[in-house]
Amino acid sequence: MKSSTAIAHPNIALIKYWGKSSTVGNIPAMSSISITLDVMESKTKISFPSDLNEDTWILNGSKQASLERIKMPFNQLIKMSNVSDSCLIESDNNFPTAAGLASSASGMASLVMALSHALELELSLQQIIELAMLGSGSAPRSLFPGFVSLDVTGAKITCSTIAESNQWPLEVIVCITSSDQKNTSSRAGMGISKKTSPLYDNWVGNHQKDIQIALTAIQSRNFEQLGTIVIDNCLKMHQVMKTSQPSIDYWNETTHAVVQRIKTLKAQGWDIFYTIDAGPQVKIICKPDLTEEVAVEINKIPGIESIVKCGLGQGARLIDE
Ligand code: DP6
């Protein structure tokens, strides 16, 4: 067996998924659209040291108590290969982990890439998509560059780039308001929302309309139209979370302050919009000529821990080490 390393970038959902149709295969209950970022990345190295006597996962330098979080794609790949040697998985994120910055998406995408290569499995792209999905519902999107559509029709999944990074080079200002790990994982939160939120059925039932509007906006490079649907879709998802029992609220005081500031800037004519995932970070999207000015404005808000300026990035790939 050979060693193999892959990197993948987080992706930010413009039109979100929140809810699973099936926990078998980890299938989302709805389609989603995302952008893959650059700058932030997860790197996963796979090796088979001869002195290792059990499969071991080291995340950001810490040995994990078990492989629980990655076991679905990991076990499936090992089964496909018939390899019995102990495997060392070393994953590193150059940004906060499990804080609503899609580290599971980039982590799983890089894991599946590196492990399938190390095991010398000749997999189709569709197999890689499905294996990444076993790890995280949003992970297939990190396999692809630019604007990405993850289409879910029943149990049928397709995932592909709908516009390359250079075809509409928007930029993203990631405002980190807390790098603490979140209390409720996306997976647990989705289960709670599906069971208890009175808004859940409506959220799932009307979701395809948002997908269509966003697709049209991306195809016609209509920034205003895209921004309006992205904010609307994001707020609907957070309403589903908040109306769950127990209520799930990922926002903190600074998240609210950033959203208020964006509203004011928009009212003054700034071409920006935002989205927020399962965590307190705000991602502001703009055209490249505004990035610096937006970052300066946002940095003035008390409570901002840091700001990461990203462009749109590449899909997951193997690297030489
Ligand atoms: C709010 O894909 O992280 O970011 O499949 O359980 O790992 P698991 O969930 P995950 O959930 C992402 C939720 C979201 C919206 C999105 O990215 O579409």
Side-chain angles (χ1 to χ4, degrees), residues 71-234:
K71 73 168 192 228
M72 295 228 280
F74 180 82
N75 290 348
Q76 184 71 23
L77 278 159
I78 295 290
K79 208 162 99 190
M80 289 164 103
S81 73
N82 288 322
V83 164
S84 55
D85 298 19
S86 295
C87 178
L88 177 62
I89 307 133
E90 294 168 278
S91 319
D92 286 294
N93 296 324
N94 70 352
F95 60 97
T97 299
L101 287 168
S103 59
S104 66
S106 49
M108 296 298 173
S110 61
L111 168 75
V112 169
M113 278 297 242
L115 186 56
S116 57
H117 188 250
L119 296 170
E120 300 183 44
L121 294 167
E122 301 283 329
L123 301 181
S124 66
L125 182 56
Q126 186 60 25
Q127 284 175 299
I128 293 182
I129 290 170
E130 285 164 17
L131 282 155
M133 174 147 288
L134 279 181
S136 206
S138 53
R141 301 187 314 230
S142 276
L143 296 168
F144 296 90
F147 290 79
V148 179
S149 157
L150 175 56
D151 199 64
V152 183
T153 316
K156 191 171 174 286
I157 306 291
T158 53
C159 191
S160 59
T161 290
I162 48 176
E164 295 286 344
S165 309
N166 61 5
Q167 290 180 307
W168 200 14
L170 299 182
E171 295 196 344
V172 181
I173 298 139
V174 179
C175 312
I176 300 177
T177 65
S178 167
S179 38
D180 294 348
Q181 295 208 353
K182 54 196 177 199
N183 294 327
T184 311
S185 71
S186 299
R187 194 159 301 185
M190 286 183 207
I192 296 169
S193 292
K194 183 175 178 175
K195 271 202 211 117
T196 63
S197 169
L199 304 182
Y200 184 80
D201 288 346
N202 198 41
W203 159 250
V204 178
N206 286 311
H207 199 267
Q208 200 54 30
K209 291 183 198 154
D210 291 3
I211 293 277
Q212 284 313 327
I213 295 169
L215 282 176
T216 306
I218 293 166
Q219 274 149 12
S220 56
R221 314 284 187 262
N222 186 332
F223 188 88
E224 178 71 29
Q225 188 186 25
L226 183 62
T228 304
I229 194 65
V230 166
I231 295 175
D232 183 52
N233 182 266
C234 165

Side-chain angles (χ1 to χ4, degrees), residues 13 16-18 20 26 69 104 135-138 141 186-187 190 237 277-278:
K16 319 284 190 191
Y17 104 87
W18 188 255
K20 318 253 186 210
N26 198 32
R69 188 66 189 85
S104 66
S136 206
S138 53
R141 301 187 314 230
S186 299
R187 194 159 301 185
M190 286 183 207
M237 179 185 74
D277 287 299

